[in-house]
Amino acid sequence: MEIREMKQQLVEVALSLYQRGLVVGSAGNMSVSLDDGTFLATPTGSSFGSLREGDVSHFTKEGTILCGKAPTKEVPFHLACYESHPHTRAVVHLHSTYATLLASCEHLVDGQPFVPFTPYFVMKVSKVGILPYRKPGSPLIATDILAKPQYSTYLMQNHGLIVCGATLNEALYSAEEFEESAKLWYLGRTLPIRHLTEEQLKELR
């Protein structure tokens, strides 16, 4: 895919996320890894609702900006995702409502932040790594990700969600599934939910 087409896709995805209320203000960021070893990312301080193709940052691993605006300040953890996940070509980071609410709960541990009760969560998200709270933009977030390469989805405590994917759409769909599953978890907390059995979980993985 040409760079311009990839920029257009980033703009389209960003607008869709904004229009559906999965991002607000200038929160959240996305990036993609290109075939030539460079990267595209949403700009720092930008709104997904007004992102333009010319705003998208094109930069090298070393941080040289090739065109567009300066990339998100969270670039270090995006690069850590690519380094620790060789097949990853896109990273989506959201502060979506229910995922962030779940990330702010006590006693979260690596694996499953709640007992799965839909097959789609297991198929699209699977295991989740829990990252400790860090100030947004902290380089320590990258260190935390590098320490947990076995996960491709992360909950950042009191912050939000990170999803790695082989394509931008794959990362997007996984992030959307996580948000919907977290919403179902919240709405169903007091209901007699039928959770998936271990046998059913094994069948899905």
Side-chain angles (χ1 to χ4, degrees):
M1 183 179 291
E2 295 182 1
I3 292 178
R4 184 175 181 182
E5 291 175 338
M6 195 68 251
K7 286 183 177 181
Q8 289 175 336
Q9 188 176 354
L10 275 170
V11 170
E12 290 169 1
V13 168
L15 182 59
S16 174
L17 288 167
Y18 183 84
Q19 290 176 333
R20 290 180 290 142
L22 291 169
V23 293
V24 296
S26 61
N29 40 74
M30 297 183 291
S31 69
V32 294
S33 172
L34 302 175
D35 292 339
D36 64 0
T38 62
F39 302 88
L40 298 177
T42 51
T44 184
S46 64
S47 168
F48 278 20
S50 58
L51 184 64
R52 296 176 300 178
E53 185 182 320
D55 297 334
V56 175
S57 179
H58 183 199
F59 59 98
T60 67
K61 184 177 181 180
E62 294 71 30
T64 301
I65 298 176
L66 302 175
C67 67
K69 296 183 177 180
T72 170
K73 65 183 177 183
E74 304 282 24
V75 158
F77 82 61
H78 283 255
L79 294 179
C81 287
Y82 295 117
E83 180 180 343
S84 58
H85 303 82
H87 300 295
T88 287
R89 300 300 299 273
V91 176
V92 173
H93 166 51
L94 302 178
H95 304 168
S96 50
T97 302
Y98 291 94
T100 303
L101 177 63
L102 180 59
S104 302
C105 291
E106 295 274 13
H107 311 303
L108 294 178
V109 295
D110 290 333
Q112 296 172 342
F114 53 82
V115 181
F117 52 92
T118 70
Y120 309 103
F121 179 82
V122 180
M123 293 187 294
K124 294 286 187 182
V125 180
S126 189
K127 299 292 186 178
V128 180
I130 307 300
L131 305 182
Y133 173 77
R134 306 289 190 190
K135 178 182 176 181
S138 169
L140 292 176
I141 301 173
T143 303
D144 297 332
I145 288 172
L146 291 172
K148 296 185 177 184
Q150 67 271 41
Y151 301 103
S152 57
T153 300
Y154 302 93
L155 270 181
M156 312 160 77
Q157 288 189 325
N158 304 88
H159 186 153
L161 175 70
I162 301 172
V163 178
C164 307
T167 66
L168 180 56
N169 279 338
E170 180 181 301
L172 172 67
Y173 297 157
S174 294
E176 291 175 333
E177 185 59 45
F178 192 104
E179 174 65 9
E180 185 64 19
S181 297
K183 180 178 180 180
L184 289 172
W185 159 79
Y186 178 77
L187 294 175
R189 287 171 304 146
T190 60
L191 298 176
I193 297 294
R194 177 196 177 279
H195 295 97
L196 298 177
T197 66
E198 281 301 318
E199 182 178 349
Q200 291 166 337
L201 290 173
K202 288 179 181 179
E203 184 183 27
L204 294 167
R205 289 172 179 150

